[in-house]
């Protein structure tokens, strides 16, 4: 059973920095996209940043130049460095990965989307 486990988040003043990390557990054959989304209660989940090997990193316009996504392929981990935080960055942040796992009962391997449990980032003004 594959799981994504997040760490990080927290409370910081405007202009401060935080770093989120997301670790993958379970049997993983391959991972394409790894990324971070955020969602406030009652709102849609929106892409913050995405990283895929061999492609340019994607960022939401609102975080370009402030946030940096990175990935450790050997450890199947993804990170989000958040600098120059603003009150409007306050949200619950979720990591995402598209993962190939072994098939069940000798079936073919399968691609699925997986999500972390979410971490709260709060930026005070």
């Amino acid at each position: 059973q594959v799981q994504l486990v997040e760490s990080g988040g927290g409370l910081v003043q405007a202009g401060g920095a935080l770093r989120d990390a997301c670790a993958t557990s379970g049997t993983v054959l391959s991972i394409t996209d790894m990324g971070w989304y955020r969602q406030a209660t009652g709102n849609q989940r929106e892409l913050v940043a995405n990283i895929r090997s061999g492609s340019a990193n994607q960022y939401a316009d609102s975080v370009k130049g402030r946030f940096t996504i990175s990935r450790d392929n050997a450890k199947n981990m993804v990170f989000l460095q958040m600098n120059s935080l603003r009150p409007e960055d306050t949200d619950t942040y979720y990591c995402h990965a598209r993962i190939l796992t072994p098939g069940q009962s000798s079936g073919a391997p399968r691609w699925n989307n997986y999500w972390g449990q979410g971490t709260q980032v709060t930026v005070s003004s």
Side-chain angles (χ1 to χ4, degrees):
Q1 181 81 6
V2 170
Q3 288 187 317
L4 300 184
V5 180
E6 300 177 34
S7 59
L11 172 64
V12 66
Q13 288 188 327
L18 289 172
R19 178 179 167 91
D20 278 353
C22 177
T24 305
S25 65
T27 303
V28 173
L29 300 179
S30 183
I31 303 177
T32 55
D33 296 82
M34 299 191 84
W36 293 91
Y37 289 70
R38 63 187 181 187
Q39 183 177 27
T41 303
N43 291 348
Q44 276 192 317
R45 193 169 294 188
E46 63 175 11
L47 175 70
V48 176
N50 188 72
I51 184 168
R52 177 190 293 183
S53 297
S55 298
N57 296 346
Q58 291 179 277
Y59 292 96
D61 288 343
S62 59
V63 307
K64 283 180 181 176
R66 300 187 297 122
F67 290 14
T68 302
I69 189 170
S70 61
R71 178 171 171 172
D72 184 332
N73 289 324
K75 296 181 179 179
N76 291 330
M77 294 185 70
V78 63
F79 306 92
L80 186 68
Q81 178 65 43
M82 299 176 281
N83 297 331
S84 303
L85 281 160
R86 304 168 180 169
E88 54 263 39
D89 294 318
T90 296
D91 258 327
T92 301
Y93 285 69
Y94 297 89
C95 70
H96 164 265
R98 184 151 180 83
I99 299 174
L100 182 67
T101 58
Q104 297 182 351
S105 303
S106 71
R110 298 176 60 184
W111 288 99
N112 280 299
N113 292 307
Y114 292 87
W115 294 92
Q117 80 278 13
T119 56
Q120 179 64 35
V121 170
T122 302
V123 185
S124 63
S125 57

